[in-house]
Structures are given as structure tokens and as C-alpha cells.
Amino acid sequence: FLSGVPITAKTEEEFHTFEKKCQKYNQPPSVYSTFKIYRQLAMNLQGQADSPVKFDGIAMTEEDLLSSFEPDTPQYKQTLRDLSSCKMMAACIFGDLPTLE
């Protein structure tokens, strides 16, 4: 979706595969969490969430994801940055001004 490729169920599956491969090859959780975020964004953009700008769905929930890291660590900050970027992207696409503020 960031490269202009249409979002399909296959897109969501690919993000899930990337996430699992990161775990298999012992990548840091902050790396494979990015794929969870992208997977949930793809699902939100396809209308598979209660709200397109809330990241609480099948792939992940904001609270669970962020609570899996110690606050104020580089991993937490990286994950928060990635999540916030995707939330802003969704808010822009769907015109959700309160989220943008």
C-alpha cells in the first residue's frame, strides 16, 4: 500500500509471514512489531476494523503491543514511532482531524 500495490488479503498474509520470519530468525521484537502494525493498518484500510484509525484488531492492539516493551527504551520508542506514523497515515486518508491533533 505504501508502494502503490493494491491491498488484498494476500497483503495481510505477507505481513504476517514477514512477522513470523523475523521471530524465527531472532530479530528484536521492535522489528517484528512493525509488521504487526502494518498488517493491522492493511486490515483497517480494507474496512476490517471498527475504526480505521484505531489499531485494535486481529493483528494487534495498541495497548498490548506497547505494554510488551519497557517504557523509555529504544525499542519502545521505535515501536511508538511506527505506530504513530501509521495512525497519522490512516487519519489523513480517512480525514480524522481529532486523531491528527
Side-chain angles (χ1 to χ4, degrees):
F1 56 91
L2 295 174
S3 63
V5 174
I7 300 171
T8 64
K10 188 172 191 286
T11 308
E12 185 268 328
E13 287 175 26
E14 288 173 344
F15 284 133
H16 191 68
T17 299
F18 295 148
E19 174 192 338
K20 295 299 177 195
K21 284 186 179 184
C22 284
Q23 290 173 328
K24 180 180 176 180
Y25 295 112
N26 297 315
Q27 295 299 305
S30 57
V31 172
Y32 60 78
S33 292
T34 302
F35 292 109
K36 289 182 182 196
I37 295 166
Y38 286 161
R39 183 174 165 220
Q40 188 61 52
L41 175 60
M43 295 171 85
N44 287 11
L45 292 173
Q46 295 178 85
Q48 298 176 17
D50 292 336
S51 168
V53 297
K54 293 191 189 238
F55 283 64
D56 294 320
I58 294 170
M60 52 142 308
T61 66
E62 288 183 50
E63 185 177 333
D64 289 345
L65 184 69
L66 293 175
S67 68
S68 68
F69 298 98
E70 290 293 321
D72 218 24
T73 62
Q75 296 81 13
Y76 177 87
K77 291 175 184 178
Q78 175 184 340
T79 302
L80 181 60
R81 178 206 60 206
D82 294 342
L83 177 60
S84 298
S85 296
C86 286
K87 285 181 76 169
M88 290 297 159
M89 196 180 326
C92 286
I93 291 168
F94 291 101
D96 188 324
L97 297 179
T99 298
L100 291 171
E101 295 176 347

